[in-house]
Amino acid sequence: MRAIAKCKWSFACLLAGAQNFGFSMSAILIIEQILNGLQFGVMLFLMAAGLTLIFGVMGLINLAHGSLYMVGAFAAASMAGLTGSFFIGLLAALIAAALAGAIIEIVVIRRLYKAAHLDQVLATFALILIFSEGTRWLFGSFPLFLEIPALLSGPVALPGGIQYPLYRLSLIAIGLAVAVGLWALIEKTRIGIQIRAGENDREMIAALGVDISKLYTLVFALGAALAGTAGALVGAIQSVQVGMGEPVLILAFVVIVIGGIGSIRGAFIGALLVGLTDTLGGVFLPELLKLFMETGSAQKTGSAFASMGIYILMGGVLIWKPTGLFGARA
Amino acid sequence: MNKFLMATAALALGATSVFADVKIGMITTLSGGGAGLGIDVRDGFMLAIAQSGRNDIDVVIEDDQRKPDIAVQLSDKMIQSERVDIMTGIIWSNLAMAVVPAVTNQNVFYLSPNAGPSLLAGRGCNENYFNVAWQNDNLHEAAGAYANNAGYKNSFIMAPNYPAGQDALTGYKRFHTGDLAGEVFTKLGQTDYAAEIAQIRASGADSVYFFLPGGMGISFLKQYADSGIDIPVVGPAFSFDQGILQAVGAAALGVVNTSQWNKDIDNPTNAAFVETFQAAYGRLPSLYASQGFDTANLLISALETAHPSDADSFRDALRAANFDSTRGKFAFGPNHHPIQTIYAREVIQEGDVFTNKIIGVAFENHSDAYAGDCKM
């Protein structure tokens, strides 16, 4: 116990502390769970990045973002089914979601920029229903099959004797690569400058001769492509089914509220926080409660409380920083 | 599909007839992650109604989206404005707990084609509530008994945190005599099981028992297969039903699961059911479809004796269960839950199709643990 008294909040101390308090789990398990949290977080980031960009640049609340995630997963599953290649499916997901995004922007969303948020919510909610029923009509109500590509299947051994699925590691790598790519796009390119300018003052950049409606379509399609990619990537390890996007959408909203609306960096940090809180909370809370109660009810209560974890996190962040971690405006 | 349309058309005509029609309210899950289950129950139910040739039965079908609040609204609407005589359809036990007591208290009959929460079988039983499928614990009890026979002594068990999930683990533990390497409740509707899989890997279990119906089971099985863990899994049929197997693929081959029904149960009713279901809908029926089918046939058999407005006679007719079940022998216990045989099945591949085959009997004439608490 003396060692614990000395150390404060380093990772090793947390581990030592956890073991001292009687957690029946090893360091390996904890590291594995942190990887799981990271993987969940980066996939959430792909969703949240598009959502926050669209809100930041166009001031639009897009509830149909989850539908684009579903479009990506279905496009990937059907193309992979036809061609036998997951990677062609992934490409199809990206294209299908970007196309779907561009089309709904031009046909529906464009009319909503000047409308009140409530009208936007109503119209994009209608889009959810249209997408869900349309997908059901095309593909039926039963889940589709989408498999992890053979190249990335199975576990790999990490240093320290950790067995971890290669596919999940690849998801972390892809998520981080997309984050870097988005950062470069926004900070280093001409389009990025226009996007940032659009966030600050859309009348002014229109006056300066930037084709604002083309920019909006582009941003919307970019956000949609990110969501579709996430849907396809996650679809390989989950169930590809109608309505799969809505639970993720709720989490993505939590992420952008925590990160600060309109901020890509905020979305990234927020997504990792939510991913880690959700995964680690679900594992450790029941373990913690086992110290006070018998296993069965500790599990029940612990998992009930763990589901609230991310919302408590969101509440805490909002009390501390009402505009979110990196939010510029309320 | 044609048959379904014809049935609906026939029903629409039936509604205008001058005789005392019977109105049935079906609330089930037709959208979202649990849709496959509700659609199977509905399709099985409507198939039996169409086959009965009766045009005086009017079925109102509504989608609860697996949300308890919506299910409650729908049931209020059905009882108060549609004035239904009988209700049915609910898949999920948390929804059943929210709806069924209110329904039976208003003297409307409720026939459950799926959800069988322990409370409604025991202290909360009601003379107007009949469960045609099983009490929730049943298939899990059978799995616990199977695990003993297979020599599993240290199981890791897992279910979603809602009434049926709690019943599931209780049922498994009631018959499994070995130790538990771990016991985990997941979120209802959870799609990522990485955290649980890591716990399984670290637990030192010799078997994994999981109850994850619908899309949850698909996600878990795909992720489990990819994790490289080779601890054998056991489950109730809900984790391996016909709707799940195609989306899981080869990952489920060889897994043993427990069910009160399978397409190879040898009796004429079942053979005809499997054949006509495939002809009508172009897919193999699941156990949910068989439950919907049996529920409708029970209902039709009772209607031949009495109209639901004559509640006592109608209840007696239901209790007699004088119909040909796809499961063969079928009878109700004193708490209106089935007494039936529960089988062990194995996941096999027939051509391109993944399906189940019966490999043995887990229980004969199995009732439930709560019947004694039921005072009607």
Side-chain angles (χ1 to χ4, degrees):
Chain A
M1 287 306 273
R2 198 182 299 152
I4 290 178
K6 254 191 246 166
C7 71
K8 278 194 173 165
W9 280 105
S10 79
F11 181 65
C13 291
L14 275 180
L15 285 190
Q19 276 156 0
N20 254 311
F21 284 113
F23 282 141
S24 54
M25 47 183 66
S26 62
I28 288 181
L29 182 61
I30 295 173
I31 293 168
E32 200 176 338
Q33 299 295 20
I34 290 171
L35 283 173
N36 289 334
L38 276 179
Q39 182 259 310
F40 184 38
V42 295
M43 285 299 110
L44 271 181
F45 168 69
L46 292 190
M47 277 293 280
L51 203 59
T52 205
L53 259 185
I54 290 167
F55 190 88
V57 178
M58 292 106 124
L60 176 95
I61 297 177
N62 179 25
L63 291 186
H65 208 64
S67 301
L68 299 165
Y69 174 88
M70 176 183 72
V71 166
F74 273 84
S78 48
M79 271 314 273
L82 276 180
T83 60
S85 160
F86 175 80
F87 297 99
I88 294 178
L90 191 59
L91 192 68
L94 203 146
I95 295 169
L99 258 177
I103 292 170
I104 61 171
E105 200 275 341
I106 291 168
V107 177
V108 182
I109 307 282
R110 191 166 279 189
R111 293 156 222 281
L112 299 171
Y113 293 136
K114 294 219 173 79
H117 282 326
L118 196 60
D119 295 341
Q120 299 175 346
V121 166
L122 201 63
T124 52
F125 185 70
L127 282 175
I128 296 184
L129 300 179
I130 293 168
F131 268 105
S132 293
E133 284 314 304
T135 313
R136 195 190 309 284
W137 179 66
L138 274 176
F139 294 94
S141 300
F142 290 88
L144 296 192
F145 177 68
L146 178 63
E147 201 178 17
I148 297 171
L151 191 65
L152 299 177
S153 71
V156 285
L158 298 183
I162 302 171
Q163 292 278 315
Y164 198 73
L166 178 59
Y167 188 73
R168 287 185 189 271
L169 276 183
S170 318
L171 292 188
I172 297 177
I174 293 170
L176 293 178
V178 170
V180 171
L182 261 184
W183 171 81
L185 177 80
I186 291 192
E187 297 294 328
K188 306 282 177 198
T189 65
R190 193 174 172 76
I191 288 180
I193 294 172
Q194 293 177 353
I195 291 176
R196 277 182 289 147
E199 285 190 6
N200 285 328
D201 193 334
R202 60 195 85 158
E203 279 88 16
M204 185 55 90
I205 71 157
L208 288 174
V210 175
D211 184 347
I212 193 85
S213 75
K214 208 180 271 174
L215 178 70
Y216 280 8
T217 311
L218 188 79
V219 169
F220 203 89
L222 175 69
L226 287 174
T229 310
L233 289 171
V234 169
I237 49 173
Q238 292 184 5
S239 167
V240 178
Q241 62 191 15
V242 175
M244 64 189 284
E246 276 66 61
V248 192
L249 179 79
I250 295 171
L251 292 179
F253 270 113
V254 172
V255 165
I256 67 171
V257 168
I258 288 176
I261 288 165
S263 160
I264 294 281
R265 191 172 9 148
F268 185 71
I269 304 289
L272 292 189
L273 275 177
V274 167
L276 287 169
T277 309
D278 196 56
T279 306
L280 298 181
V283 176
F284 292 115
L285 254 169
E287 291 294 325
L288 197 67
L289 287 178
K290 271 181 204 164
L291 304 179
F292 313 109
M293 44 177 90
E294 55 97 16
T295 312
S297 48
Q299 276 297 342
K300 264 181 245 172
T301 337
S303 75
F305 274 111
S307 328
M308 299 179 215
I310 54 168
Y311 302 101
I312 295 170
L313 172 73
M314 179 170 79
V317 167
L318 287 183
I319 291 169
W320 173 46
K321 283 201 163 186
T323 57
L325 294 176
F326 296 92
R329 53 176 185 224
Chain B
M1 205 56 207
N2 265 337
K3 273 192 181 167
F4 179 67
L5 289 177
M6 274 163 58
T8 340
L11 292 169
L13 287 176
T16 60
S17 121
V18 289
F19 300 108
D21 288 350
V22 180
K23 202 162 193 183
I24 300 167
M26 175 183 279
I27 299 176
T28 195
T29 307
L30 301 173
S31 62
L37 289 68
I39 288 166
D40 269 358
V41 162
R42 178 196 68 191
D43 289 352
F45 191 92
M46 295 313 287
L47 181 68
I49 300 276
Q51 286 176 359
S52 75
R54 292 183 67 135
N55 58 7
D56 58 342
I57 302 176
D58 184 8
V59 188
V60 185
I61 302 173
E62 294 276 9
D63 174 18
D64 60 34
Q65 304 167 33
R66 200 169 75 190
K67 293 179 183 148
D69 48 329
I70 293 184
V72 169
Q73 279 173 23
L74 289 172
S75 93
D76 287 347
K77 191 184 97 183
M78 283 186 171
I79 294 173
Q80 283 153 22
S81 64
E82 302 267 0
R83 307 238 160 239
V84 298
D85 304 292
I86 302 159
M87 293 206 17
T88 185
I90 292 179
I91 300 295
W92 306 93
S93 290
N94 50 338
L95 275 66
M97 289 305 303
V99 169
V100 172
V103 170
T104 48
N105 285 340
Q106 295 177 71
N107 294 318
V108 173
F109 284 94
Y110 187 91
L111 306 184
S112 177
N114 197 65
S118 49
L119 197 61
L120 296 181
R123 279 183 293 117
C125 69
N126 187 293
E127 57 177 5
N128 291 335
Y129 170 77
F130 287 80
N131 187 309
V132 193
W134 20 252
Q135 195 282 314
N136 278 347
D137 300 16
N138 288 164
L139 303 195
H140 311 288
E141 291 168 341
Y146 169 79
N148 293 340
N149 288 340
Y152 299 144
K153 294 192 170 56
N154 196 21
S155 295
F156 188 99
I157 61 175
M158 181 164 90
N161 198 6
Y162 81 120
Q166 291 149 15
D167 286 351
L169 298 193
T170 313
Y172 185 82
K173 287 190 280 187
R174 187 174 293 130
F175 280 81
H176 180 59
T177 49
D179 294 329
L180 292 182
E183 179 176 356
V184 166
F185 281 107
T186 61
K187 276 176 244 172
L188 187 60
Q190 185 170 327
T191 50
D192 199 302
Y193 293 91
E196 289 77 10
I197 288 171
Q199 283 172 283
I200 292 171
R201 197 196 302 271
S203 70
D206 66 356
S207 56
V208 176
Y209 181 73
F210 73 100
F211 164 58
L212 294 170
M216 294 181 271
I218 298 173
S219 300
F220 173 75
L221 277 170
K222 281 163 95 171
Q223 293 163 24
Y224 188 77
D226 187 53
S227 70
I229 304 178
D230 53 5
I231 304 170
V233 296
V234 184
F238 317 118
S239 306
F240 302 93
D241 81 71
Q242 200 60 49
I244 286 184
L245 289 178
Q246 302 318 311
V248 173
L253 273 182
V255 176
V256 174
N257 61 99
T258 48
S259 179
Q260 86 289 3
W261 177 86
N262 197 40
K263 70 178 171 51
D264 59 359
I265 293 179
D266 191 13
N267 67 60
T269 311
N270 195 35
F273 163 65
V274 173
E275 197 188 317
T276 50
F277 188 93
Q278 269 187 287
Y281 304 109
R283 63 176 196 272
L284 281 172
S286 67
L287 80 159
Y288 306 112
S290 82
Q291 292 160 195
F293 188 79
D294 279 351
T295 305
N297 278 328
L298 167 72
L299 184 89
I300 293 161
S301 76
L303 286 177
E304 272 158 20
T305 322
H307 189 270
S309 54
D310 178 3
D312 289 334
S313 314
F314 186 70
R315 190 180 307 116
D316 286 340
L318 285 174
R319 212 177 266 150
N322 190 11
F323 73 105
D324 293 324
S325 164
T326 54
R327 294 165 241 181
K329 210 167 60 170
F330 183 98
F332 281 118
N335 59 347
H336 295 176
H337 282 63
I339 296 175
Q340 59 189 343
T341 302
I342 296 172
Y343 303 91
R345 330 187 284 185
E346 186 184 325
V347 180
I348 56 160
Q349 190 169 8
E350 282 178 352
D352 285 342
V353 181
F354 295 95
T355 185
N356 285 288
K357 182 183 83 175
I358 289 182
I359 55 168
V361 172
F363 290 132
E364 300 241 28
N365 294 327
H366 187 63
S367 173
D368 61 84
Y370 305 98
D373 299 334
C374 169
K375 309 266 182 290
M376 272 186 204

